[in-house]
Every structure is written in C-alpha cells, then in structure tokens.
Amino acid sequence: MIQTKSKGFTLIELIVAIVLLAILSIVVAPKFLSLKTDSKNQSLQGVGAAMKSALMLLNSQAAIENKEHGNTTIIINGVEVPLYNGYPSVRGSDNFVKINQQVKAWLDIDSVDRNTARKDRNAAPFFTDKSTRNNQIFIFFTSDYDNKSVRFKCHIRYENPESTPPTPFTGPIVIIETDDC
C-alpha cells in the first residue's frame, strides 16, 4: 500500500491569499458601489428625456385644440390636465393624488403621489410632489423619500412659470438633478 502524505496550505500561503483578496476587494468594490448611483442617474436622465418628448406632444395637441395660450385645460387619457400656454401647470387646489394622475396622463411613468410613497416605499419606483407657490412638479425616487427636499439633488423638477404682468413665454423648464443620487 502506498501512503501519501496530505499537504495543506501553510500559514504564510493563507496570509498571502487573504492579503491579495483584500487588495482586490479594495480596488473592485468602488466600481460595484457606483453602479447604484449610475443606474439612478441614468434612470432620471431617461425619465427627463421622456418628459421633454411628452411635453412636445402635449403642446402639439394643445395647438391642435387651440389651447396653447393662457390658462386652459386639456383631457389626456381621461384626465383633465391644467395648462398654461400649452404646457402643464400646477393648480394650488389640486391635491397630490390629482397631480400624480395628471403627470401620469402626459408622462407614462410608474409613480405614486407623495402621501402614498410616505406610507409604502415599495408602491412604485417614483413619486410625484409639487410646489404650488413656484408652479413646480417634482419626481423623486420612492427609495429617497426620507431625503426629499428641493435641496436634495436627486430628482426631476418641472416648471411652467406664470408671470404677472405677462412676459414673453420661453416654454417650460425641465431640470434633472443627479448630484446626490
């Protein structure tokens, strides 16, 4: 019978392997960690681009219906959407649910209103919010609900400013903020 002596790893070999794995994880981990940030940035860029396209289509429909000047409304997908100069506006009397319905009517997005997102962070990937005073609509990631504010730079902000007295209209503003994603 032939006897074989089994050999294991020496302590030095184990330490070298552990050190190499530690160095590899230090180099590779930041690349994996930035994937979440990159995916959130790209998602916001995609929604922002879709919003700009939807606004052009909505403005075309408003022009066809002769509703491209002043305060009017238009029906899109069965939802009444308030307009100012042919683009969506924010009415102070509209609650968060209604604002979300209006946004979903002209922008095909999986979102919930702010109050639903507060209760259920898994309700949808995005939630809508508004600033009536500034005539702004915000789209945030629902996972970022606890951070939401105008200073938290991981959102899309839509503005359709009304001016008194009227000034030449330059169109709505879509701002994509990704610094804090």
Side-chain angles (χ1 to χ4, degrees):
M1 189 187 277
I2 302 175
Q3 285 187 336
T4 59
K5 190 175 180 182
S6 76
K7 290 187 172 187
F9 292 106
T10 65
L11 183 59
I12 291 180
E13 290 172 329
L14 287 174
I15 290 173
V16 168
I18 291 170
V19 168
L20 287 175
L21 287 173
I23 291 170
L24 184 62
S25 67
I26 289 170
V27 171
V28 174
K31 302 239 185 252
F32 285 114
L33 295 176
S34 72
L35 289 178
K36 181 179 178 186
T37 299
D38 292 345
S39 68
K40 287 177 83 171
N41 289 347
Q42 292 305 312
S43 293
L44 284 182
Q45 295 293 337
V47 172
M51 180 182 278
K52 291 174 184 177
S53 295
L55 289 168
M56 289 188 328
L57 291 172
L58 190 137
N59 185 256
S60 298
Q61 184 176 347
I64 290 168
E65 295 183 22
N66 199 26
K67 295 182 176 184
E68 59 187 325
H69 300 289
N71 288 304
T72 61
T73 61
I74 195 168
I75 304 296
I76 303 172
N77 297 324
V79 177
E80 182 182 59
V81 177
L83 302 178
Y84 177 69
N85 287 340
Y87 293 97
S89 66
V90 181
R91 288 194 299 214
S93 60
D94 290 344
N95 62 27
F96 297 109
V97 173
K98 193 150 189 121
I99 291 292
N100 188 61
Q101 290 170 344
Q102 293 166 3
V103 169
K104 288 174 71 169
W106 57 270
L107 176 62
D108 187 20
I109 183 174
D110 186 10
S111 65
V112 294
D113 63 275
R114 180 185 83 168
N115 295 337
T116 300
R118 181 178 59 223
K119 295 174 190 167
D120 182 3
R121 300 297 200 278
N122 296 314
F126 300 101
F127 75 93
T128 56
D129 202 350
K130 68 174 181 168
S131 171
T132 305
R133 184 185 64 166
N134 297 319
N135 201 10
Q136 298 171 339
I137 296 172
F138 294 89
I139 299 175
F140 291 95
F141 285 100
T142 306
S143 60
D144 292 335
Y145 185 88
D146 295 327
N147 298 322
K148 81 169 188 71
S149 79
V150 294
R151 288 178 209 78
F152 179 65
K153 306 233 182 283
C154 187
H155 65 263
I156 298 171
R157 184 176 74 228
Y158 167 79
E159 299 177 27
N160 187 1
E162 295 186 30
S163 56
T164 309
T167 58
F169 183 67
T170 59
I173 301 165
V174 176
I175 298 172
I176 304 164
E177 300 274 5
T178 61
D179 292 347
D180 295 334
C181 290

